[in-house]
Amino acid sequence: MAVILLAQTTPAQAADSTQYAGDSSRGLGVAIPFSGFTDRNGQAVPISGAVGADLVLGSTAQPYLPCQNYDPLTGTGDTFINACEVHGSYTTYTRFAAGQGILFPHGYFVPDVQPDYVNGGSLRTDWGARTAGLSLEFYPDVALDQEYVHSRF
């Protein structure tokens, strides 16, 4: 009787944004729908708060979050760490005031070019083309946005 052994391998997680292939069919980036907060009847609710977005590269099963690839002791991390609005955490963090309309009327958009929050100007990250997913955390009250996290998608 012959025994056949199959080795199951998993792809190694890349160490930097530049190691993830892009999808050229995405044009200038990628967006997920988001139209704001509603009440139980589907009516728009004018509340204040904030939304933080984590960019996920690779796959959602084996995620790489470039903005969390940061060493605060050395100030280094991913090649494009300067494009992260919150080093060690969010790609973007957007505050919004009550009654200012829909937060992202065209969806939450991740372009291929981001601001350079450290040196000014912009960085071509191609994150829009490389994105596997986005995780969004909503903080529905500006006064408490550092105290608790509500929904995460």
Side-chain angles (χ1 to χ4, degrees):
M1 175 163 107
V3 176
I4 300 172
L5 298 176
L6 299 175
Q8 183 177 5
T9 60
T10 56
Q13 183 172 335
D16 194 83
S17 291
T18 59
Q19 296 173 351
Y20 290 94
D23 180 344
S24 61
S25 71
R26 292 188 180 167
L28 299 176
V30 65
I32 60 168
F34 177 70
S35 58
F37 295 97
T38 60
D39 64 17
R40 69 180 82 191
N41 299 316
Q43 301 301 311
V45 177
I47 62 172
S48 62
V51 60
D54 287 324
L55 172 68
V56 179
L57 304 180
S59 72
T60 54
Q62 291 190 320
Y64 171 75
L65 288 76
C67 295
Q68 292 186 17
N69 184 8
Y70 177 69
D71 182 344
L73 297 176
T74 62
T76 60
D78 188 88
T79 295
F80 302 116
I81 194 68
N82 290 351
C84 300
E85 193 166 345
V86 183
H87 293 174
S89 185
Y90 296 121
T91 308
T92 62
Y93 186 80
T94 306
R95 294 179 186 271
F96 53 95
Q100 288 194 340
I102 296 175
L103 183 57
F104 304 111
H106 304 292
Y108 190 91
F109 183 70
V110 177
D112 288 332
V113 177
Q114 277 73 33
D116 183 329
Y117 290 105
V118 175
N119 302 309
S122 59
L123 292 170
R124 179 158 193 93
T125 62
D126 289 324
W127 280 349
R130 302 174 203 257
T131 301
L134 295 170
S135 294
L136 302 176
E137 290 183 357
F138 296 97
Y139 301 82
D141 184 339
V142 171
L144 300 173
D145 68 356
Q146 296 296 316
E147 304 300 322
Y148 60 90
V149 174
H150 283 267
S151 304
R152 180 174 176 89
F153 302 94

